[in-house]
Amino acid sequence: MNFELSQEQKILQRSVREFCARAIIPHAARWNEEARFPMEVIEPIAQLGLLGIHIPERYGGAGMGMLDLALAVEELSRADASLGLTVASHNLLCMDHIYLAGSEAQRERYLHRLASGRALGAWCLTEPGSGSDAGAARTRAVRREGPCGVEWVLSGSKSFITQGSVAEIYVVLASTTPARKQKGLTAFVVEKGTQGLRPGRLVEKMGLWASDTADIVLDDVVVPDAQRLGQVDQGFVDTARVLDRGRIGIGAWAVGIGRAAFEAARSYSQQRVQFGKPISEFQAIRTMLADMATELDAARLLVWRAAVMQDCGQRTTRESSVAKLYASQAAARACDAAVQIHGGYGYARDFPVERYLRDVKLAEIGEGTSEIQKLVIAREVLKGSRT
Ligand SMILES: Cc1cc2nc3c(=O)[nH]c(=O)nc-3n(C[C@H](O)[C@H](O)[C@H](O)COP(=O)(O)OP(=O)(O)OC[C@H]3O[C@@H](n4cnc5c(N)ncnc54)[C@H](O)[C@@H]3O)c2cc1C
């Protein structure tokens, strides 16, 4: 076991950190206040190789691994959680579903565009009536013979879709055999501009105001069979593989926000003077900083363990859920403590910590709530293969 990052990984970490200091941190508060998706930074992010980091070079990716992706997502999310979520979901939901379940032709057709940033990706599972219970999906895909062969007609709606109104390429899960619930789901790629596909309302959120979250309407959208991803009725099996990796990304995302909160609190505690000394001299503040540092270290190590296991080709259902569950809760506690350490200024919009606290809450909800992670972990530990 070696905890030292490779030279390449240190360079990646440093270059993302420098990019964020220059191109993201100075603007993040404004983008959030304006509730504006910063499309102008997508090209520079793509040029850094951060779209498709873990996708092989032959499909336009950087050919690196999940640990590299976790390092980059942590750095980006420390700078701006909204942008960190864009990179995590673009890479690990949309691109990964196409990479893991797509045919060679589908990989060739879509991954280059997604890796170059010419197209942003979105991944559409959640619906108004089906969140944790994916098998309750009502979006239907009906097979028919068209003039050019087999085609599918998709109809229904999706909710809370990240990049919902700015994406060019959508992966959509739809029910092909409703009686089979989640075992009857199939995935399709739908491109922007396809007749019948349109973004619905933009969701006004508690946090992540610079992240684009929209409902999606599918009104008799016709796609050829060539745009079906994976086998019919196997969409949820592939989704489980996608989420095993996606949850590592959410863990890294949470650690990045928690780290931003910790760093802000540490620096504030050394400057703020009460009772004639910096508040960092008080034991109560030191205990909070020690807890934050300890829990964020533990969270990062859990994220890295799952990432390294993925890079070694191992199944990480349990490890990904453990990392996501622990990191999201540790980061939420760190953000809450950062507001507390800032006192009244933490509650004011002049300091970024209130934004971190609002943003980080999503980690306990998206890609499976904390309650769902516990169901997954319990199911895995009850199989008894590992402690
Ligand atoms: C900002 C944002 C971005 C998102 N981006 C995307 C995206 O890009 N693509 C996408 O498909 N979805 C996306 N989502 C949706 C997200 O994944 C869902 O919100 C999440 O899976 C929870 O589903 P739900 O909101 O329907 O809650 P519900 O499933 O209705 O859950 C409500 C509560 O009940 C609990 N609960 C449900 N079932 C159980 C159970 N069996 N046992 C115990 N407790 C249970 C939950 O834990 C939760 O506390 C996003 C959501 C947000 C807020």
Side-chain angles (χ1 to χ4, degrees), residues 72-360:
V73 167
E74 180 184 326
E75 290 303 324
L76 284 166
S77 309
R78 169 179 173 262
D80 180 15
S82 292
L83 214 49
L85 186 65
T86 290
V87 170
S89 60
H90 173 92
N91 282 325
L92 287 169
L93 297 179
C94 180
M95 288 191 87
D96 239 17
H97 203 130
I98 296 171
Y99 177 61
L100 292 175
S103 64
E104 211 42 41
Q106 289 167 332
R107 290 171 167 184
E108 285 289 345
R109 180 166 173 197
Y110 299 115
L111 293 179
H112 292 277
R113 279 167 67 194
L114 289 160
S116 69
R118 277 181 286 131
L120 277 174
W123 187 78
C124 314
L125 175 65
T126 306
E127 300 188 4
S130 91
S132 305
D133 180 11
R138 298 185 66 155
T139 295
R140 286 292 318 272
V142 177
R143 187 182 189 277
R144 73 179 187 194
E145 287 296 330
C148 306
V150 172
E151 57 189 25
W152 295 85
V153 185
L154 276 60
S155 48
S157 63
K158 296 285 172 182
S159 18
F160 292 119
I161 304 306
T162 303
Q163 279 89 252
S165 85
V166 294
E168 303 269 334
I169 294 173
Y170 296 81
V171 171
V172 177
L173 277 295
S175 174
T176 31
T177 312
R180 298 192 69 209
K181 306 274 183 191
Q182 69 185 34
K183 291 182 180 156
L185 296 179
T186 304
F188 299 87
V189 182
V190 185
E191 294 192 49
K192 182 182 175 183
T194 307
Q195 198 172 359
L197 173 83
R198 61 181 166 84
R201 71 169 182 138
L202 281 176
V203 182
E204 287 190 22
K205 308 184 293 293
M206 170 181 172
L208 300 171
W209 295 340
S211 172
D212 179 88
T213 316
D215 294 347
I216 302 293
V217 179
L218 298 132
D219 194 3
D220 289 340
V221 174
V222 180
V223 292
D225 195 44
Q227 282 170 233
R228 172 172 49 81
L229 271 182
Q231 301 299 309
V232 174
D233 289 350
Q234 290 296 302
F236 199 76
V237 174
D238 294 330
T239 290
R241 290 196 293 151
V242 169
L243 289 176
D244 278 354
R245 287 153 68 98
R247 287 170 180 162
I248 299 172
I250 294 293
W253 182 79
V255 171
I257 306 170
R259 198 175 112 217
F262 168 76
E263 289 169 356
R266 179 178 57 189
S267 134
Y268 185 82
S269 73
Q270 289 168 323
Q271 286 157 23
R272 176 70 173 170
V273 173
Q274 290 291 282
F275 299 97
K277 47 184 162 180
I279 60 169
S280 60
E281 299 291 315
F282 300 125
Q283 206 169 13
I285 301 292
R286 290 183 166 225
T287 304
M288 279 194 263
L289 290 171
D291 284 344
M292 292 160 90
T294 305
E295 293 192 11
L296 290 172
D297 263 5
R300 183 181 295 108
L301 288 174
L302 288 172
V303 169
W304 286 10
R305 175 181 70 166
V308 169
M309 285 175 69
Q310 275 284 340
D311 288 338
C312 294
Q314 295 177 41
R315 178 174 176 272
T316 62
T317 304
R318 174 183 179 279
E319 289 75 13
S320 297
S321 283
V322 166
K324 197 257 188 196
L325 174 67
Y326 186 80
S328 59
Q329 294 181 342
R333 283 192 290 271
C335 293
D336 189 51
V339 170
Q340 194 65 21
I341 289 171
H342 280 70
Y345 295 98
Y347 201 72
R349 297 274 276 273
D350 307 344
F351 286 83
V353 286
E354 60 84 30
R355 168 161 57 93
Y356 303 150
L357 182 59
R358 287 186 286 101
D359 289 351
V360 79

